[in-house]
Structure formats: structure tokens, C-alpha cells
Amino acid sequence: MDEERRQGYLSAMGITLWEPRCAAVSGGEAAPVEPHESSPIGVQAVADERMIALDQSSERSHPEPAGLSGVASMDWDALAAAVDSCRDCGLCESRTRTVFGIGARNAELLLIGEAPGADEDRLGEPFVGRAGQLLTPMLGAIGLSREQVYIANVLKCRPPGNRDPKSDEVQHCEGYLLRQVELIRPRIILAVGRIAAQNLLCSDETIGRLRGRWFAFGEASIPLRVTYHPAYLLRSPDQKAKAWEDLVEIRRRLNNIALA
Ligand code: URA
């Protein structure tokens, strides 16, 4: 991406322009992601060159997904149909539409947010409201369009009033997301926001502590990184520089994958 365009995206994010401290765009070899310790079906905490391994004491294990027999072998069409007709938790009563996910089914980067909000519930597409309007230029700032990545959520249905997802809702929806991860086989997962991060990592740690580290997700040990939710950045614009650091690290790792 040319410099002028990059600066345009950054200024759309409201970020004061500065030079990244790490050599993200041209950077050196990414450290291999080596499993450290695994939890039953979800995450392995890993350390890379600068990262601290996840504190095992804060880990919970993923419960078995409920009511999702057959999901693990579904193809895209069957999975989309299963989500569309899902009535496994109470959210089906209040949803307008399910929000399956969107983007390239062979994307290198998979973004996972929390749950649909009002706009997403109405339109059936993730991150199309105000948060999405910030997320799109954030991606653009590292040279990625919405079409080049895949965007999904922990929950496929909107919790009423945008309340936090309940654990049984996450549990019921988990199989769908895990199957999407398997089908996409992304090179990197970006957990967007505290709720996504804590659920994907089975952790109670704050997002401040989960940021800045690489984790390995699932049996395929997919490198996973955490960043702030754009809705939070809209409320706390002073945190945008940290989100930019996260994105730069994602870009660095993608570049290294492309070079490998
Ligand atoms: N917030 C999310 O986490 N996901 C969406 O799809 C929209 C807002």
C-alpha cells in the first residue's frame, strides 16, 4: 500500500501518525509458535520472542459444545444452514437475523469479535455498525480489505440490549465458530475485544494483560493475538495507538508468513 493511502487510513482511525517501533512491515523472522501447555479443546498458551506465556492459573477449559452434533464435519453450506436455523439457546427468540460471518473463506487472517449488535442483527453481517466503520479502516491501515479477511463473532445472534454473552450461549455457539476456524484454516486469528479474547483463550485475564502476546489456538496451534474492540476505541480514542501496535504486529507476522 502506498504511504499516502496508509496515512489516509490512519487519519480516518483518528491516529496521530508515528513510526512503528518494531519493524513490522519489513520485519525479521517471526518466532515459531511453540505449544506450551494445552487446554482441552481450545487454546495453547505460547511464548514468542517477547511474550509471556499465559498464566495457567487463569485458564478455564472449554466446555463441550452443546447441541451441535454433526457440526464438526459440516461443509460451508451445511454450516451456514445450521446457524440460520439454530434454536439451541434463547437468543433465537429475540434475534432478527443470525450473523454467520463474512469474508474470504481462505483468508489468512480471521477476526473474531463478540456478538452482533443492533445493526448486525438487522443486516445479518458482522461489524457493519459504528464499530465496523472503525474496524474497516483499521484493517485498511495494514493493507487489508474486509473482503481479504474473514470476520466472525463468538455468538451468531445478538444478545438483547447488547449485554455480554452468557456462558451457556457461548457454549451453544462454540461448535459453529470452531468449525469455521477449521474450514478457513487461517494463518492468524485476531481476537477483537475482551469478550472474544477471554472466551477464545478460556481466560479471566484483563484484555490489557492478554494483549501483546502470541497464543496458539486449537489443535492446529493457530497463532492468536488480542486487540481492543473498536467500540472501546470509539469511547477511548487514547487507546488507538495500542491497537495500532497490535495491527502492526499482525502485519509483521503476515509478512513473515508470506516470505517463508
Ligand atoms: N461488535 C462485535 O463484536 N461484533 C459485531 O459484529 C459488531 C459489533
Side-chain angles (χ1 to χ4, degrees):
M1 175 176 0
D2 65 50
E3 185 56 19
E4 197 182 336
R5 199 149 164 235
R6 186 179 77 89
Q7 296 205 3
Y9 280 128
L10 289 173
S11 100
M13 282 173 67
I15 287 178
T16 312
L17 301 179
W18 59 291
E19 284 303 312
R21 268 174 296 178
C22 59
V25 181
S26 61
E29 187 61 29
V33 177
E34 281 168 354
H36 174 73
E37 195 72 46
S38 62
S39 63
I41 63 165
V43 169
Q44 297 161 326
V46 295
D48 86 352
E49 68 269 40
R50 291 176 296 142
M51 309 306 163
I52 321 145
L54 179 67
D55 175 2
Q56 299 299 309
S57 64
S58 67
E59 280 193 33
R60 297 185 306 265
S61 59
H62 283 278
E64 284 298 321
L68 290 171
S69 59
V71 168
S73 58
M74 284 179 181
D75 64 13
W76 278 108
D77 288 347
L79 188 63
V83 168
D84 203 39
S85 61
C86 182
R87 303 197 67 79
D88 285 349
C89 81
L91 295 181
C92 64
E93 304 295 343
S94 52
R95 75 179 177 219
T96 308
R97 296 178 64 167
T98 57
V99 178
F100 181 69
I102 197 156
R105 291 177 171 183
N106 61 351
E108 294 202 323
L109 179 62
L110 167 62
L111 280 82
I112 303 178
E114 174 180 336
D119 293 310
E120 291 77 19
D121 175 69
R122 188 166 46 84
L123 297 169
E125 187 176 323
F127 283 102
V128 287
R130 283 192 69 223
Q133 282 158 24
L134 178 57
L135 184 67
T136 304
M138 284 169 69
L139 287 171
I142 55 165
L144 293 170
S145 65
R146 277 175 75 95
E147 294 72 29
Q148 284 174 301
V149 302
Y150 197 91
I151 308 177
N153 282 311
V154 168
L155 290 190
K156 308 298 186 208
C157 297
R158 181 189 183 210
N162 296 345
R163 63 158 169 74
D164 285 355
K166 294 181 182 168
S167 59
D168 69 299
E169 294 160 354
V170 172
Q171 192 183 341
H172 278 105
C173 236
E174 184 175 58
Y176 298 135
L177 182 62
L178 292 180
R179 185 61 185 149
Q180 284 176 304
V181 173
E182 275 173 6
L183 288 168
I184 297 165
R185 288 197 288 143
R187 307 302 291 259
I188 296 177
I189 294 174
L190 180 59
V192 178
R194 176 182 65 84
I195 299 282
Q198 289 181 337
N199 281 290
L200 292 169
L201 295 171
C202 296
S203 171
D204 292 325
E205 288 203 72
T206 63
I207 188 160
R209 281 188 50 77
L210 294 172
R211 268 190 66 250
R213 298 150 74 178
W214 281 107
F215 300 94
F217 183 82
E219 285 176 11
S221 294
I222 299 167
L224 182 150
R225 196 91 177 168
V226 171
T227 194
Y228 290 120
H229 197 288
Y232 169 72
L233 297 176
L234 288 169
R235 295 192 302 274
S236 308
D238 53 317
Q239 300 298 309
K240 284 181 180 174
K242 290 188 188 158
W244 173 238
E245 285 175 15
D246 301 333
L247 292 173
V248 164
E249 176 63 11
I250 295 287
R251 179 74 268 172
R252 182 186 76 85
R253 192 131 198 167
L254 286 173
N255 287 350
N256 286 335
I257 288 167
L259 289 175

